Structures are given as structure tokens and as C-alpha cells.
Amino acid sequence: MAWRDSRTYRHRMLLFLSCILLGVAALVSVQSLGDNLKRAVNDKSRVLLGADLVLRSQRAFDAEIEAFVDSLGGEQSREVRFGSMVYFPKNNGTRLVQVRALEGDFPYYGVLETHPIEAATRYQQDQTALIDDMLMVQFDVAVGDSVRIGNDTFVIGGSIRKVPGEALAFATVAPRVFIPLSNLDNTGLIKFGSLASYAVYFKFGFDVDMDLVEKQVRKFREDENLSYDTVQGRQRQLNRTLGNLYRFLSLVAFSALLLGCVGVASAVHVYMRQKRPTVAVLRCMGAQTKQIVGVYVIQIAAMGLVGSFGGAILGVGLQHVLPEILARFLPVSVDVAMSWPAVFKGVIIGLGFSLLFSLFPLLPVRHTSPLRTLRASFEEVKSHLDGLQMLVLVVIVALIATLGVVQTGQLGMGLGITAGFLGAFGLLIGIALLLTKMVRRFFPTSWQYVWRQGLANLYRPDNQTSILMLSLGLGTFLIATLYIVQHALLAQIALSGGNNRPNLVLVDIQSDQLDGVSEVVKSHGLPLIHRAPVATMNLAKIKGFTPEAYRDSIDVSRWALFREYRSTYRDYLFDSERLVAGEWTEGSWDGVEPVPVSFEKDIAQTLHVTLGDTVVFDVQGVSVATVVRSLREVDWQRIQPNFFVVFPPGVLESAPQFHVFTTRVNNAEQSARLQRELVVHFPNVSAVDLGLILQTVDDVLSQVGFVVRFMALFSVFTGLLVLVSAVTTSRYQRIQESVLLRTLGAAQQQIRRILFLEYVFLGALSALTGLLLAVGGAWALAFFVFEINFSIPTLALCVVFLTVTVLTVVVGMVNSRGIATRPPLEILRSEG
């Protein structure tokens, strides 16, 4: 009976329930990606680190650390890493890069991919430099050209294609340049107090107990302020990071699946209204209610199975696409393999959810009266939800929560996500209902008939307005939120350099270079806005306790206790600072200890110190006792030197230090000219350009945005598929309306215009719903998460609005073709 009854509507049911296809495809592809990522991290864990153990320090290793390193044994490689300007004589190009001076055979695991291939192993012997591939393209240099780093000039021996354990996107933020460690002294860039990190990489035999080695390192690290990383530690870190990526992609896929299921429920609702005459006939012939319901459950299950299998097949194909899209953000190459658990899970979830969402509109068929066989216009008395429908709703919510917990692996997060989904869906539907009620409430009676009829179709009986606005609105919301947040971030950076504020920072200026750098800046007609000396120091005691003892007595971030503080001295506030507590120390220190200092309020809160508390700093081996005299609020988003701790003059002048200048350039050409001259005369001075920061941030956000937009398209396409389904299911009713309008004298062109305007209104309201939520969501992210000024990209949102509206109109009109020309006899015969 199910097979015979479906013959007329089979192609429609296949379309309706194919709404779940995209959701299942998204779930299968993301689940497969997660399985492949987990396998890649586990199989290539040593490649991710390139060694068995890494020790790092922010200062050069002293004799005690060197003795400890020697005691660990194994094969070792050394690295000094720092930021510096490089200069390409071929075209006078300059760029701030990350220089890595290496000695040894690192990486021990994995391959440093270069072009030519042999450059990875020969650059140390040949004393050449390896340049990031992106950097070589940007400055149009090739192998054999030269690059100047500090006081030394290197021949470019090859380009860097891939560094083990690092994502390609890293090169966008910090282009890498590899040089031999033996040539580092020739550059003259590393001096006492220079900003650099030092590392040693270890390779041990397989007979070495790494747990014992890590225990030794952990104990020694606490005394010497070292950081370390092991294969297991890197593996745990990457699993956490990639787990967050996987959860994000899973949520987008989950939303597409739920949207598809909502579309299925809508389609089944309209389908069952059309089947009520058939149900009435079956009731007259003695069919039991459970038999009738069983017929349609079988139909829905069959179509749901077809849609789920189709989605699984599409998902298997997509799992080859996702790693390519994410390649720039993945630190390890992913070998795509079939994940049968992902396929099985996708099919079961797709089938189960399609059945559950279909049962809710299917169950009312039990109340169909046999009187429909006598009167086609008979309407049953509307009733509230019965017990079975309520039970189905409870089961649906429970399964959504269960799937949320399974996807995230955490009970609290899974339940929170479930609440978020229900809240988002409820908010979208609420806004959609509110907008349609406002349209009905303030109906424009003065408009022409065609416009009024097109607008009235939004709230006609059996309309799909709310469902379509939910589907299209969610996709619009995802895409528009991304655009708004990206715009706000870039606008904030631009604002930080606006209003005559500095947009170029010169870093690592040595004390004997102050006059020379000042003259170069002034010779270009540029102002010196800020001058700040910087001395490095560590915490020695807080309130009389050593950092270790202090941490045992109170919960304090290890980062705040053991980090290297870069502090300055002056007797005035910068324009980015505001005094919030205490008294500012004016003039020089009077020589009476403890020294009065000013703390930034957030770091003071993190360290649990306040006015009057004593803090002892270790300034390059010299203890300096201080007392917190004031607290400052600092605008860290300003492109200028800002500090956690400010000393008064007369304390740190004799300490090893470097200096920071800020200035403002008017254009990129002026910035380039200044940087070229500085590189020639002061190669150790690095320039941080706001324009370059904007370009870099825009590049990274665009790459991230592409991934988000790709996943958001699942929701958009699902919404369009729901639109196709709604138009197809209501086609018979549209023909009835068309015939009635033609009987009343309407022309075919008027009917087409009515349909056109209906889809214009529908698309516009859907886009408006998504954009309203996007503006609200982006504002919340900007205010609470990023803590930046909120701004709206008006042009981009207009494009999104027009795109969604046009897509809705095109899909609606294509699927409504022929309605205006159907003969009246078709309706009269069906009614007879």
C-alpha cells in the first residue's frame, strides 16, 4: 500500500526528504575529517614537534642550563629565534620577518620541504639563507639572489615550502627566514637585552624513558624559568586545538542537519494535508489508524533512508575537499581514508532525525474524519497537541541533546549547545512571526492590487513563511556575522592608527643608536611621538614570598608569575593610559626604597596585588624592591609601547635596555623609504607597520572567513532546498489560487507578478531576519569577546541582503513556472 500510494508523489517525496541530504553530508564529512585528523596526529606525533624534546628560554643559556642540557645527552640542535628586518638589494624591498638561526640536523622527524629539495640539508654547509616561499613571491626574488640580515648578506639557497608541525597560515603572520647559527654573530643583531628566544632540540634513542626525562626537565624548569615541549605534550595541545576546530565545524554541520529536518517536517505537513482525502477513503473502507499511519511512516522511512545514504555518499566525497580547504590552518598533512563509523553514524542520525521530525506533522492524520469523502471542504476541529506529539517533541529535544554531548564529548557543553540551538531557532522563528504579524497589522491598503496580493500571500493558510525564513535566515546570519566581526576587527586596527596616532613602531633600538635613529626619522619629516626605554626583568618576590611559594599560597597564573616583564621608566602618563587608583610619582626617584611603581590594573588583579603591596624585581641579576603606588588602565589596542609596570626615572637607567620609538607615516611609500634607510644604517632596528598589520590580519581573517562561509553554505543551500520543497508541495494550492484569480479576471502576467513579489518579500524578510540577528550577535562578540568598537559594513550587508533575495526569487520562480497557465478544468475535475 505504501508503494502504490507513493506513485503519484514519489518524485516529490524524494525532493522533500532530500532536505536532510546536505545535513548528513556535512556530518559525515566533518566526522570523517575529525577521524582522519586524530589518526594523523597520532601517527605523526613526532613530526609535529620535529624532535623528542624542546627546551626554550627567553634569554641565552647560562652555564647551569648548559650543564643540564649536556647531562640529558642525546643528539642536539640549537636555535636562536628573533624578529628582524630583512633587505632585498634586488628591489630595495624590506620586511619584518622571523629569523631562525639553526645548528644541527633539526628537524629529526619529518621533512623541511624546500625548493630545491637539497637546500634543506645544504644551507648550513653552504652558509646560505632559506626564505619563506610567500616572501620570495612578494618581493620577486629567486634562488641565487641575495638578502641582507643585519650586517651580513646571504645568498638565497632555497625557498621554504613547509616546516614540520607548522601551518602554512603561520607564514602569513610571521614569514620565516632560516640561516646557519654559525653566521649569527656576523649579523650583529643579538646583543645583551635583545628580544630573542633560545632553544635546543633533542633526539633520544628508543631505549630512553621519556617520562623520566620529562620529570627531570619539569623539576629543573621551575628553578630556571624554562619552557619545554615533548611529543606527548604537543600531541595533547594539538588535539585540544583541532578538537575546537572539529567542534566548530560539527556545530555548523549539525545546524544544517536540523534545518533540513525542519524542512522535512514542513514538507510532510503539506504532504499530509494533500493526502487527507485519501486517508478519509481508507477510513471508510475500514482501515485501522495504525495501518494508515504505518503506510506513511514506511514512505517517510524509505525516503529518509535514500536521503541519508545520498548524504553519506556526498559526505565521503566532501571529506576529500575539507582537508584542502583547511590545509593552511593544519599543522600536519591529512591522509584521507574512508571512515566507516562516520558513514554509519551519519546514516543512522539522518534516518532517525527525519523520522522523528516527520512524526510530529504526521500524527494528526489519526484524527482525519471519514466525512471528507462526502465534503471536500470539511475541516476538522483544531485541537491542541496530543500526548503522542508531546512525546515526540520530548524525544527530539533529548536526541538533539544526546548528539550535542556526543559531538563535543562534554556534558555541560553539549547541553549548552542544545540550549543554544533551541534558543537560536526559537529566536529566528519568533522574529519571523513578528515580522509577518507586523506586515499583516500594518497592511498597506493603498498599494496596487498585485502588490497587496503578493504581500498577503506571506500569511495565507498553509504558508511556509516561518520555515523558509528560519532556513534562509540562519544561513544569512552565519555569513553576515562573519563579515561584521571581520570588519569591526579591521576597523579597530585602523582606528588605533587614526587621528594622528602613531602607525609605525621602531623596536630594539640600542642606547648608542638613539641619536642616529632620531636623525633618520626627522630627516624624512616625520615626528617622534613616543620614546620609551625598555628593561627586561623577572619577579623575585611578591609580598615577601618567592613566586613558587606565592603560587602555593594563592591561585595565581603561572604565566604572570614566571614571565619576563619588559618595563619602562618615565614621570608622565602616555595618552593611552588613565590613572584609576593611587598617586602618580612625579619627578625622579628620591633614592628611598622601596621604589614606587605603577602597575597596569589587570596584571595587578591577576597577581593579586594592590596599592601598598611590595614586589621585588630581578633586573638582570640585580634585586630592586618596589611598592605599588598607583594602578593604570591601559588601552592595549593602541599601536604604541604600553607596559605592565612603569618605574620612575633614576632607577633603571644603568640597566641593560633597548628603546622603542613611534612615529606616523602618511603612506606606504614613505614608510618603505624610512625602513630602507634604517635597514642600511641600523639593521638591528625592526619596524612594525600598521599598514602591514592590517594587510596581514585581513589575509588571515579572509582565510578563516572562507572556511566559515564554506560551511555556512550548507545552511544556505539547505534553506534553498526547503524553498524548492515548499513551492513543490504547495503547487496544487497555487494552481487553485491561479484559477480563481483568472476566473475573477486576472491576467497571466498579473499572476506571475504576484508570485514574483511574494518571493521578493519572502527573500527580503528572510535576509532581514538573518541580518538583524547577525548585527546583534556581532555586537555581542565585539563588546564581550574582542572588546573593540562596533561598526557595521553597510555595503557588504547590502550585498548579502540582495544575494539572498535574488536567490529566493530565482528559485521560487523557476519552480513555479506553468502555474499561471494551468486550465480551470484541472481544478474543477479534482473538486468534482
Side-chain angles (χ1 to χ4, degrees):
M1 180 64 185
W3 176 258
R4 289 195 302 266
D5 182 76
S6 67
R7 283 180 297 185
T8 306
Y9 298 92
R10 199 171 297 157
H11 65 288
R12 297 182 185 178
M13 289 295 293
L14 183 61
L15 173 63
F16 304 159
L17 296 182
S18 64
C19 288
I20 67 170
L21 185 144
L22 285 177
V24 172
L27 276 181
V28 171
S29 60
V30 170
Q31 179 73 46
S32 299
L33 175 67
D35 293 343
N36 289 326
L37 279 176
K38 188 178 297 182
R39 188 184 309 111
V41 171
N42 292 333
D43 294 346
K44 303 176 182 180
S45 55
R46 292 181 183 272
V47 175
L48 294 172
L49 189 63
D52 293 315
L53 171 69
V54 181
L55 283 179
R56 296 190 183 277
S57 175
Q58 295 301 314
R59 59 181 65 178
F61 294 164
D62 56 22
E64 187 176 358
I65 297 178
E66 290 288 358
F68 176 74
V69 169
D70 292 339
S71 69
L72 292 177
E75 191 174 346
Q76 301 178 7
S77 295
R78 300 298 183 106
E79 178 191 75
V80 179
R81 185 182 302 190
F82 56 95
S84 176
M85 301 296 293
V86 295
Y87 173 69
F88 297 100
K90 178 181 178 180
N91 48 33
N92 292 325
T94 61
R95 177 70 192 267
L96 179 64
V97 301
Q98 184 187 84
V99 179
R100 300 186 187 180
L102 276 161
E103 179 182 75
D105 295 332
F106 177 82
Y108 297 115
Y109 307 104
V111 178
L112 176 62
E113 297 181 15
T114 61
H115 177 76
I117 297 175
E118 62 273 11
T121 56
R122 295 195 56 84
Y123 78 99
Q124 294 188 42
Q125 292 80 7
D126 297 343
Q127 296 184 332
T128 56
L130 301 180
I131 309 293
D132 234 316
D133 191 56
M134 179 274 295
L135 202 61
M136 296 186 68
V137 173
Q138 179 183 356
F139 290 95
D140 192 26
V141 293
V143 174
D145 291 336
S146 60
V147 57
R148 181 174 174 179
I149 306 173
N151 298 322
D152 203 358
T153 300
F154 295 83
V155 174
I156 300 176
S159 63
I160 301 171
R161 298 287 177 83
K162 178 75 173 176
V163 178
E166 293 183 5
L168 291 176
F170 180 83
T172 304
V173 180
R176 299 154 294 194
V177 175
F178 284 30
I179 62 173
L181 184 60
S182 58
N183 290 69
L184 181 60
D185 290 340
N186 297 337
T187 65
L189 295 176
I190 300 299
K191 300 178 181 179
F192 191 78
S194 295
L195 301 176
S197 66
Y198 300 80
V200 55
Y201 298 91
F202 296 85
K203 179 184 179 183
F204 300 105
F206 289 101
D207 57 337
V208 174
D209 187 351
M210 286 303 302
D211 291 335
L212 180 60
V213 171
E214 184 176 358
K215 189 178 297 183
Q216 292 177 277
V217 172
R218 191 183 303 117
K219 184 177 184 305
F220 184 81
R221 182 274 304 270
E222 294 178 355
D223 300 326
E224 296 294 335
N225 197 24
L226 291 172
S227 62
Y228 75 95
D229 205 354
T230 63
V231 172
Q232 292 76 15
R234 179 62 62 88
Q235 188 174 338
R236 288 192 297 269
Q237 178 186 1
L238 276 176
N239 278 330
R240 286 194 299 268
T241 303
L242 295 177
N244 291 332
L245 171 66
Y246 168 72
R247 278 189 286 271
F248 166 73
L249 296 178
S250 296
L251 291 180
V252 180
F254 197 15
S255 66
L257 175 65
L258 291 181
L259 273 179
C261 290
V262 170
V264 167
S266 172
V268 171
H269 171 72
V270 176
Y271 175 65
M272 294 315 301
R273 289 185 66 89
Q274 294 178 350
K275 299 299 286 185
R276 283 178 183 174
T278 304
V279 173
V281 172
L282 291 175
R283 291 286 304 277
C284 291
M285 296 176 65
Q288 298 179 5
T289 301
K290 63 180 181 181
Q291 291 176 316
I292 297 173
V293 173
V295 166
Y296 297 110
V297 168
I298 292 172
Q299 291 180 359
I300 293 169
M303 293 299 102
L305 196 60
V306 171
S308 298
F309 270 113
I313 294 172
L314 180 59
V316 170
L318 283 174
Q319 73 169 336
H320 294 270
V321 178
L322 280 179
E324 294 297 324
I325 294 175
L326 297 170
R328 294 188 63 84
F329 303 97
L330 299 178
V332 61
S333 58
V334 179
D335 299 323
V336 177
M338 176 69 76
S339 176
W340 290 108
V343 173
F344 179 76
K345 181 179 176 181
V347 172
I348 294 300
I349 291 175
L351 178 59
F353 270 71
S354 62
L355 274 174
L356 279 173
F357 275 78
S358 299
L359 275 177
F360 187 77
L362 174 61
L363 288 175
V365 79
R366 297 171 300 149
H367 308 300
T368 301
S369 172
L371 284 175
R372 275 188 170 274
T373 58
L374 301 176
R375 287 191 294 165
S377 60
F378 178 81
E379 291 288 344
E380 292 86 2
V381 178
K382 293 184 179 180
S383 60
H384 297 291
L385 298 180
D386 58 29
L388 277 178
Q389 285 181 296
M390 292 297 296
L391 178 62
V392 169
L393 275 180
V394 171
V395 173
I396 288 175
V397 174
L399 284 184
I400 292 176
T402 302
L403 187 58
V405 172
V406 171
Q407 291 290 96
T408 60
Q410 300 178 21
L411 178 62
M413 185 179 294
L415 295 179
I417 288 171
T418 302
F421 269 122
L422 296 177
F425 275 48
L427 196 58
L428 279 166
I429 292 178
I431 292 179
L433 291 175
L434 178 63
L435 288 175
T436 52
K437 284 185 177 181
M438 289 178 64
V439 168
R440 188 169 188 173
R441 173 69 177 80
F442 301 102
F443 192 84
T445 55
S446 60
W447 286 9
Q448 294 182 0
Y449 170 75
V450 171
W451 286 79
R452 297 200 310 271
Q453 184 66 23
L455 191 61
N457 281 351
L458 296 179
Y459 49 83
R460 69 179 186 278
D462 296 328
N463 73 83
Q464 303 293 298
T465 303
S466 296
I467 297 300
L468 293 177
M469 289 178 66
L470 169 64
S471 305
L472 296 174
L474 184 60
T476 306
F477 163 70
L478 291 174
I479 293 177
T481 301
L482 171 72
Y483 273 118
I484 297 173
V485 172
Q486 179 175 344
H487 173 80
L489 287 172
L490 294 176
Q492 180 63 37
I493 296 175
L495 180 64
S496 298
N499 299 326
N500 295 319
R501 294 173 181 172
N503 57 11
L504 185 68
V505 181
L506 306 180
V507 185
D508 211 10
I509 304 170
Q510 301 303 308
S511 297
D512 58 354
Q513 298 174 327
L514 288 174
D515 294 337
V517 175
S518 298
E519 288 301 322
V520 171
V521 173
K522 292 177 181 178
S523 68
H524 286 261
L526 301 175
L528 277 179
I529 301 175
H530 297 103
R531 296 179 59 159
V534 182
T536 59
M537 58 191 69
N538 296 92
L539 291 174
K541 288 186 177 181
I542 305 176
K543 303 179 185 179
F545 297 94
T546 64
E548 293 82 2
Y550 190 67
R551 192 162 187 257
D552 291 338
S553 64
I554 192 171
D555 184 19
V556 182
S557 167
R558 180 177 181 83
W559 166 84
L561 283 173
F562 297 100
R563 74 183 305 275
E564 185 174 65
Y565 284 83
R566 297 185 176 97
S567 305
T568 190
Y569 54 90
R570 48 182 158 82
D571 59 356
Y572 56 91
L573 289 169
F574 276 167
D575 55 356
S576 61
E577 300 172 322
R578 183 174 65 89
L579 200 67
V580 294
E583 296 180 357
W584 180 257
T585 303
E586 297 182 354
S588 299
W589 176 49
D590 57 10
V592 178
E593 291 193 344
V595 177
V597 296
S598 178
F599 267 65
E600 190 269 337
K601 68 179 183 66
D602 290 332
I603 195 67
Q605 183 177 1
T606 301
L607 291 170
H608 297 280
V609 298
T610 186
L611 298 177
D613 288 339
T614 58
V615 179
V616 178
F617 287 96
D618 177 7
V619 185
Q620 304 295 328
V622 177
S623 294
V624 178
T626 69
V627 61
V628 180
R629 181 64 58 83
S630 66
L631 299 177
R632 293 165 295 115
E633 184 178 64
V634 177
D635 182 3
W636 294 102
Q637 297 166 358
R638 298 277 287 272
I639 307 297
Q640 64 185 61
N642 290 311
F643 301 90
F644 283 133
V645 183
V646 177
F647 284 71
V651 182
L652 300 177
E653 280 79 355
S654 59
Q657 58 192 267
F658 63 90
H659 299 260
V660 177
F661 286 178
T662 67
T663 185
R664 180 172 181 82
V665 294
N666 298 317
N667 49 58
E669 292 75 16
Q670 193 175 35
S671 175
R673 288 196 299 269
L674 174 62
Q675 292 182 50
R676 280 196 296 269
E677 186 170 349
L678 286 173
V679 167
V680 172
H681 295 97
F682 306 100
N684 61 291
V685 176
S686 298
V688 181
D689 192 342
L690 176 63
L692 184 59
I693 293 176
L694 271 171
Q695 179 183 344
T696 302
V697 172
D698 189 25
D699 190 16
V700 172
L701 289 178
S702 296
Q703 294 172 22
V704 175
F706 176 75
V707 177
V708 178
R709 285 192 293 272
F710 178 82
M711 295 305 298
L713 285 177
F714 280 100
S715 298
V716 175
F717 287 148
T718 304
L720 294 176
L721 195 56
V722 172
L723 174 62
V724 173
S725 301
V727 174
T728 304
T729 51
S730 59
R731 186 177 180 84
Y732 179 78
Q733 184 174 346
R734 297 300 184 88
I735 294 174
Q736 285 182 308
E737 295 171 355
S738 172
V739 169
L740 178 60
L741 290 174
R742 290 178 61 193
T743 304
L744 294 173
Q748 294 181 9
Q749 188 64 28
Q750 286 180 304
I751 297 174
R752 293 191 184 96
R753 288 177 59 195
I754 290 172
L755 290 174
F756 174 81
L757 290 172
E758 177 187 350
Y759 293 123
V760 168
F761 292 135
L762 185 60
L765 288 177
S766 300
L768 182 61
T769 303
L771 291 177
L772 286 175
L773 283 181
V775 170
W779 173 84
L781 287 173
F783 186 79
F784 294 107
V785 178
F786 297 108
E787 297 183 355
I788 58 176
N789 294 324
F790 180 66
S791 58
I792 298 177
T794 308
L795 180 60
L797 296 190
C798 289
V799 171
V800 172
F801 178 84
L802 291 176
T803 302
V804 173
T805 304
V806 170
L807 282 175
T808 305
V809 172
V810 170
V811 171
M813 293 304 295
V814 168
N815 284 275
S816 300
R817 62 189 183 279
I819 286 180
T821 59
R822 301 304 289 266
L825 281 177
E826 182 177 338
I827 302 301
L828 296 176
R829 286 171 179 169
S830 64
E831 291 293 335

